[in-house]
Amino acid sequence: MASNNQNKPPKKLGVDEVTCDKEQKFGAEKMVGTANNARIRQAFSVVNGIQDLGLSSNPASNAGSECGTIEFTREDVEALLSEKMRYKNKFNYKERCENMMDYIKRLRLCIKWFQELEGDYAFEHERLRNALELSEQKCAEMELALRNKEEELNLIIVELRKSFASLQEKLAKEESDKLAALDSLAREKETRLNMERSHASLSEDLGKAQEELQSANQRIASINDMYKLLQEYNSSLQHYNTKLQKDIDAAHESIKRGEKEKSAIVENLSTLRGQYKSLQEQLSTYKASQDEAMRQKDALVHEVASMRVELQQVRDDRDHQLSQVQALTAEVIKHKELAVSSEDLEARCASQSNQIRSLSDQLAAAEEKLEVSDLSALETKTEFEGQKKLINELRNHLEDAEYKLIEGEKLRKRLHNTILELKGNIRVFCRVRPLLPDDSSGSEGKLISYPTTTEALGRGIDIMQNGQKHSFSFDRVFMPDESQEDVFVEISQLVQSALDGYKVCIFAYGQTGSGKTYTMMGKPGHPDLKGLIPRSLEQIFQTRQSLLSQGWKYEMQVSMLEIYNETIRDLLSTNRDASRLENACNGKQYAIKHDASGNTHVTDLTVVDVCSTKEVSYLLDRAAHSRSVGKTQMNEQSSRSHFVFTLRISGLNESTEQQVQGILNLIDLAGSERLSKSGSTGDRLKETQAINKSLSSLSDVIFALAKKEKKEDHVPFRNSKLTYLLQPCLGGDSKTLMFVNISPEASSVGESLCSLRFAARVNACEIGTPRRQTSMRSSESRLSLG
């Protein structure tokens, strides 16, 4: 106001009282209008206890006087001090006294204004000193936080160094395994060379055996010639010994019998040849096995050795027969003995010839078997190389198929999300928390199972109750071993939609102790276990920074509240205890209002401008300390209220003049519980009744939405503050996702089954197609605070 008065001309002396009264009324009305219509917008510094300091060179004075609110400029004061008394008549003392009194009155007003101005400056100086102390205190806290963060980073660096050392050890181990594999390959090559050398030596031995066989055949031919000479000598003996004709006839008969035996032996030889053919056929069936061929090769080597032994025996028999022939020539006079000896000699010669033939046949068979084994070994080697090539091709095809499967799964998810957006269904994700040390071990594997079929993989869940299996299918099912990062990856695109101008709502539902707060908030002090709310905010601020190059600028506002016993509490109020007292005494009521565009506002709720993730993290910590929690028999720290986090996003593209407004609602519902299990009494009993009532109202809304297709239009959103607050998310144009959290304990199977059935009904509800909120830039581009 002081700056406005500087542009006005100095007030003239001697104005009448009517004009002064008008200015007084005008100034008072202006001050009242400013006080009533001015809307104070709190910034982040106000929430932290630091008041905005409005510095001004000429602070306004609210001092009252006879003429109301009067302000003096430098020109007014100089004109007042340099003013000279002018009189029409020097001796008119009455006029001089009146002018002097008027002048003194104006001087008093000026002095009083200066005194008030000095007081304002002193008060402003005190405010600045207090603000400086608060700033120094905040700087000290920030330095302490930075030190703690530096220590955490040092610990992370140490862990990274340890992991780097372990990776180096693994790399050294893999290199040693590689060297061992190379050594084994070299040994295999050496063994292959040894096998080839042994094969060459065997072929040489076989050649030698063939040469020996030829020499044996020559000796047998010489024996046959000698036998013919002996027969001629025998015939001469027969002519010479006519008296012994009868005995010779008998000898001939015995020779005939020997020929018959010889024919029988020939028949046996033919049967042996048939058996040999059958053996050859059996051998052809064993060509596929290289090991069997090697064993046959060893057997053949043994047979060659036995043949050599038998050949040596034949030689010995031949020498013995020669000695016998010499004995016969010496005893030629004795005809009977000669006849007997000749018959024996013929029989033995026949048997030896048969044995020699069989040995030659066996040797030929051994040669054929050796050739067959070589061919089978070569075929096995070529077949092995073909199989190896086929395996490599199959591996390449498998890698291509896996890559196509991953890409197809990504495409399926995108198409599934598009279909759900077009249908307007509420998406439902199911998450099973892992067993805790206090839980009964081994119950989860018996009660809960996950289908492995292609259609239900990652989307189906089966639960057993009283021996009966209940199957459910959702948009995604998270197993107990899946991390917070795995869960956030599935909703990251949904969170991104808030920056694109959509309304997004994600809320967690389930019984007490099923892991809802862990899913939404995570575990404090463990960066790897951060929940969906911190991770969503990190992604939004990172994307906001990356979109600056495209001309987008975003403003963001945060509000947090809880619904405790059907009462709304502001978790960002500067005085939390006073806020609770006001709510208890009905001094300050927060009302939920929906405007025509589908936006939801809560009156008198603290809304804070934020610019970074650190600011939001600080607010989350404050809200977590202010939230109502309690201990029950089912959970050590049970949330006793519904927590609602709201991030309002306003984006402006300066190049295209396009403006978007998105809203991200992240809600952690209180858990349903049975009084028989929780053992709640007193305040906890009232809290449990209020929680179950609001969740029952949520079920009624879901049932009504499911029946909406049957022309039953009434949906009871107003039955509880929770459902009335979620009305745009459940019945509007919002992208809505529900997490149903279940416990794997055997004692909670009934509650888990109820939660899954409720989630299946939610997944079947159609709430409308999401609508993007965009517009062209107007003169009023600020967010409405509700």
Side-chain angles (χ1 to χ4, degrees):
M1 188 177 288
S3 62
N4 294 331
N5 289 333
Q6 288 179 1
N7 298 325
K8 297 179 181 178
K11 291 185 179 179
K12 295 181 181 180
L13 298 177
V15 293
D16 55 13
E17 189 174 355
V18 175
T19 305
C20 184
D21 292 337
K22 288 181 179 179
E23 291 178 355
Q24 179 180 358
K25 291 178 181 179
F26 178 77
E29 290 175 359
K30 189 174 182 182
M31 292 296 293
V32 171
T34 303
N36 292 332
N37 298 327
R39 186 173 186 177
I40 300 174
R41 183 182 181 186
Q42 292 179 329
F44 183 74
S45 58
V46 177
V47 181
N48 290 332
I50 303 174
Q51 300 293 335
D52 290 335
L53 303 177
L55 298 179
S56 177
S57 59
N58 293 318
S61 173
N62 297 326
S65 65
E66 294 179 0
C67 292
T69 304
I70 299 176
E71 297 179 356
F72 291 86
T73 63
R74 186 184 297 275
E75 291 82 0
D76 293 338
V77 176
E78 289 178 356
L80 185 62
L81 294 176
S82 62
E83 183 179 354
K84 293 181 180 180
M85 296 294 179
R86 295 178 182 179
Y87 308 105
K88 296 179 180 180
N89 189 359
K90 295 181 180 180
F91 299 100
N92 191 350
Y93 293 103
K94 184 176 180 180
E95 182 182 358
R96 293 177 66 179
C97 288
E98 289 177 355
N99 292 335
M100 187 62 69
M101 289 297 293
D102 186 25
Y103 183 70
I104 291 170
K105 185 177 181 181
R106 285 185 276 119
L107 284 175
R108 286 179 180 174
L109 288 174
C110 184
I111 292 169
K112 187 174 182 180
W113 181 79
F114 271 110
Q115 288 176 351
E116 292 177 354
L117 185 62
E118 183 180 3
D120 291 339
Y121 276 119
F123 178 73
E124 192 72 21
H125 179 70
E126 185 68 23
R127 284 179 59 198
L128 287 172
R129 187 171 61 185
N130 293 334
L132 181 60
E133 291 176 356
L134 289 174
S135 298
E136 290 176 352
Q137 183 179 359
K138 185 178 178 181
C139 287
E141 293 176 355
M142 290 293 289
E143 288 178 357
L144 181 60
L146 286 174
R147 290 175 185 172
N148 295 333
K149 193 67 177 179
E150 185 177 1
E151 293 177 357
E152 292 178 1
L153 290 175
N154 291 331
L155 292 175
I156 292 171
I157 289 170
V158 171
E159 292 178 356
L160 289 175
R161 287 176 178 172
K162 291 180 180 178
S163 62
F164 179 71
S166 63
L167 288 175
Q168 283 184 337
E169 292 178 358
K170 290 181 180 178
L171 181 60
K173 186 177 180 181
E174 289 180 357
E175 289 180 352
S176 62
D177 294 339
K178 184 178 179 181
L179 292 175
L182 291 174
D183 293 337
S184 63
L185 182 61
R187 287 196 297 271
E188 287 180 359
K189 289 181 179 179
E190 291 178 359
T191 53
R192 187 176 296 173
L193 292 173
N194 293 330
M195 289 290 293
E196 291 177 355
R197 291 171 185 170
S198 62
H199 184 271
S201 62
L202 285 174
S203 61
E204 292 178 357
D205 294 338
L206 183 60
K208 292 178 180 180
Q210 289 176 352
E211 292 176 356
E212 292 178 356
L213 183 60
Q214 290 177 357
S215 62
N217 290 330
Q218 291 176 359
R219 290 175 184 176
I220 291 170
S222 63
I223 292 172
N224 290 329
D225 294 337
M226 187 178 292
Y227 176 69
K228 290 178 181 179
L229 293 173
L230 288 174
Q231 282 182 345
E232 291 176 358
Y233 182 72
N234 190 17
S235 62
S236 64
L237 287 175
Q238 287 177 358
H239 290 293
Y240 180 75
N241 297 309
T242 57
K243 295 180 180 180
L244 298 176
Q245 187 66 36
K246 294 180 181 179
D247 295 334
I248 292 172
D249 293 336
H252 282 296
E253 290 177 1
S254 64
I255 289 171
K256 289 179 181 180
R257 286 196 299 269
E259 288 177 356
K260 290 180 180 179
E261 291 177 358
K262 182 179 179 180
S263 63
I265 291 171
V266 170
E267 292 177 358
N268 291 331
L269 182 61
S270 63
T271 57
L272 288 175
R273 287 177 180 175
Q275 291 177 359
Y276 171 70
K277 289 181 181 179
S278 64
L279 289 174
Q280 280 185 338
E281 292 176 357
Q282 291 178 1
L283 183 62
S284 63
T285 60
Y286 298 146
K287 288 182 179 181
S289 175
Q290 186 177 4
D291 296 335
E292 184 66 23
M294 294 299 295
R295 286 196 296 269
Q296 288 179 0
K297 187 184 290 186
D298 295 335
L300 289 173
V301 171
H302 292 299
E303 286 178 2
V304 170
S306 62
M307 287 169 63
R308 288 178 181 176
V309 174
E310 290 176 357
L311 186 60
Q312 186 65 32
Q313 290 178 356
V314 170
R315 289 175 182 175
D316 296 336
D317 292 337
R318 184 198 62 186
D319 297 335
H320 182 64
Q321 288 173 5
L322 288 173
S323 62
Q324 286 181 356
V325 169
Q326 292 174 0
L328 287 172
T329 55
E331 297 178 355
V332 71
I333 300 170
K334 298 179 180 180
H335 301 286
K336 293 180 181 180
E337 293 178 1
L338 179 61
V340 174
S341 63
S342 63
E343 291 175 359
D344 294 336
L345 184 60
E346 288 178 357
R348 287 179 182 180
C349 287
S351 63
Q352 286 177 0
S353 62
N354 293 332
Q355 288 178 359
I356 289 170
R357 290 174 184 175
S358 64
L359 288 174
S360 61
D361 294 337
Q362 290 178 3
L363 185 60
E367 290 177 355
E368 291 177 358
K369 289 180 180 179
L370 187 60
E371 292 176 358
V372 169
S373 64
D374 292 338
L375 293 174
S376 63
L378 183 61
E379 291 176 357
T380 305
K381 184 177 179 181
T382 55
E383 186 179 359
F384 173 74
E385 291 177 354
Q387 291 291 335
K388 188 176 181 181
K389 185 177 180 181
L390 180 62
I391 288 171
N392 292 329
E393 292 177 356
L394 290 175
R395 285 178 180 174
N396 295 330
H397 288 311
L398 181 61
E399 291 176 357
D400 295 338
E402 289 178 351
Y403 176 76
K404 291 179 181 178
L405 182 62
I406 294 171
E407 293 297 324
E409 182 65 18
K410 291 181 180 178
L411 179 61
R412 187 197 65 78
K413 289 181 179 179
R414 288 198 296 269
L415 294 176
H416 180 67
N417 292 334
T418 304
I419 292 170
L420 289 177
E421 289 176 2
L422 294 175
K423 290 177 64 178
N425 285 41
I426 301 177
R427 276 174 271 188
V428 177
F429 287 175
C430 176
R431 189 179 190 186
V432 183
R433 73 160 173 82
L435 284 170
L436 302 177
D438 297 336
D439 298 339
S440 57
S441 60
S443 61
E444 191 265 341
K446 299 178 181 177
L447 297 176
I448 299 176
S449 59
Y450 309 95
T452 57
T453 59
T454 305
E455 295 81 4
L457 185 62
R459 301 179 63 239
I461 183 172
D462 299 333
I463 185 169
M464 297 290 295
Q465 185 186 32
N466 298 328
Q468 184 179 2
K469 183 171 75 171
H470 303 271
S471 300
F472 298 92
S473 179
F474 301 106
D475 297 290
R476 183 71 163 85
V477 175
F478 296 99
M479 298 183 186
D481 57 349
E482 296 193 64
S483 63
Q484 297 276 65
E485 178 67 23
D486 298 334
V487 177
F488 178 72
V489 167
E490 294 292 332
I491 69 160
S492 59
Q493 294 299 321
L494 185 62
V495 173
Q496 180 69 27
S497 301
L499 279 174
D500 298 334
Y502 289 94
K503 297 177 187 177
V504 178
C505 178
I506 302 174
F507 64 96
Y509 177 89
Q511 70 176 108
T512 298
S514 59
K516 300 182 301 299
T517 304
Y518 175 77
T519 299
M520 301 301 294
M521 300 296 294
K523 190 173 182 180
H526 295 76
D528 295 339
L529 302 179
K530 289 184 294 187
L532 300 185
I533 295 179
R535 293 178 188 270
S536 300
L537 295 172
E538 288 178 359
Q539 175 180 327
I540 285 176
F541 280 105
Q542 289 174 1
T543 308
R544 170 195 180 185
Q545 190 67 25
S546 63
L547 290 177
L548 287 175
S549 60
Q550 302 179 13
W552 283 99
K553 291 185 178 180
Y554 289 93
E555 293 181 2
M556 301 185 186
Q557 295 177 334
V558 168
S559 64
M560 301 184 202
L561 62 88
E562 69 172 354
I563 302 176
Y564 176 77
N565 288 348
E566 285 299 306
T567 303
I568 296 177
R569 290 181 175 178
D570 186 1
L571 295 178
L572 297 183
S573 176
T574 54
N575 190 350
R576 178 64 178 157
D577 296 332
S579 177
R580 289 197 178 191
L581 185 60
E582 287 177 358
N583 288 333
C585 299
N586 295 325
K588 191 173 185 180
Q589 295 292 332
Y590 297 96
I592 303 172
K593 295 184 178 180
H594 304 297
D595 57 18
S597 60
N599 296 321
T600 302
H601 306 281
V602 179
T603 59
D604 296 326
L605 187 66
T606 303
V607 181
V608 181
D609 294 331
V610 292
C611 300
S612 65
T613 309
K614 292 183 179 179
E615 296 177 0
V616 184
S617 299
Y618 172 76
L619 294 177
L620 285 173
D621 292 339
R622 275 188 52 193
H625 286 92
S626 301
R627 189 179 178 187
S628 301
V629 295
K631 180 180 179 181
T632 65
Q633 293 180 3
M634 298 180 66
N635 195 357
E636 185 71 22
Q637 287 188 342
S638 176
S639 301
R640 313 306 294 168
S641 63
H642 306 301
F643 172 71
V644 180
F645 172 91
T646 302
L647 177 68
R648 298 179 182 273
I649 303 172
S650 175
L652 174 65
N653 193 319
E654 295 181 348
S655 59
T656 62
E657 297 294 327
Q658 186 182 11
Q659 188 176 6
V660 297
Q661 288 192 357
I663 299 176
L664 178 62
N665 292 309
L666 302 172
I667 304 169
D668 178 20
L669 299 178
S672 61
E673 59 185 50
R674 298 182 185 272
L675 293 176
S676 59
K677 291 185 178 181
S678 63
S680 302
T681 57
D683 293 338
R684 296 289 173 267
L685 177 60
K686 295 179 182 178
E687 294 168 356
T688 302
Q689 291 173 347
I691 292 169
N692 291 338
K693 181 181 177 182
S694 61
L695 294 178
S696 177
S697 301
L698 180 61
S699 300
D700 295 339
V701 168
I702 296 298
F703 292 152
L705 289 173
K707 295 178 181 178
K708 198 172 181 180
E709 300 176 356
K710 300 179 181 179
K711 307 303 181 182
E712 297 183 13
D713 297 329
H714 176 66
V715 181
F717 285 111
R718 293 181 178 269
N719 284 3
S720 71
K721 283 188 169 59
L722 174 64
T723 54
Y724 193 51
L725 185 66
L726 295 179
Q727 182 175 353
C729 304
L730 299 176
D733 53 0
S734 174
K735 291 185 177 183
T736 306
L737 168 66
M738 185 184 88
F739 270 93
V740 55
N741 296 79
I742 62 174
S743 172
E745 291 184 276
S747 58
S748 303
V749 65
E751 290 290 335
S752 299
L753 189 58
C754 292
S755 299
L756 292 174
R757 286 171 176 166
F758 175 72
R761 294 190 185 99
V762 171
N763 201 13
C765 291
E766 296 183 3
I767 60 175
T769 305
R771 181 172 56 86
R772 188 182 183 192
Q773 295 183 348
T774 60
S775 62
M776 300 307 294
R777 186 178 184 182
S778 61
S779 58
E780 184 67 25
S781 62
R782 288 181 57 83
L783 283 170
S784 62
L785 303 182

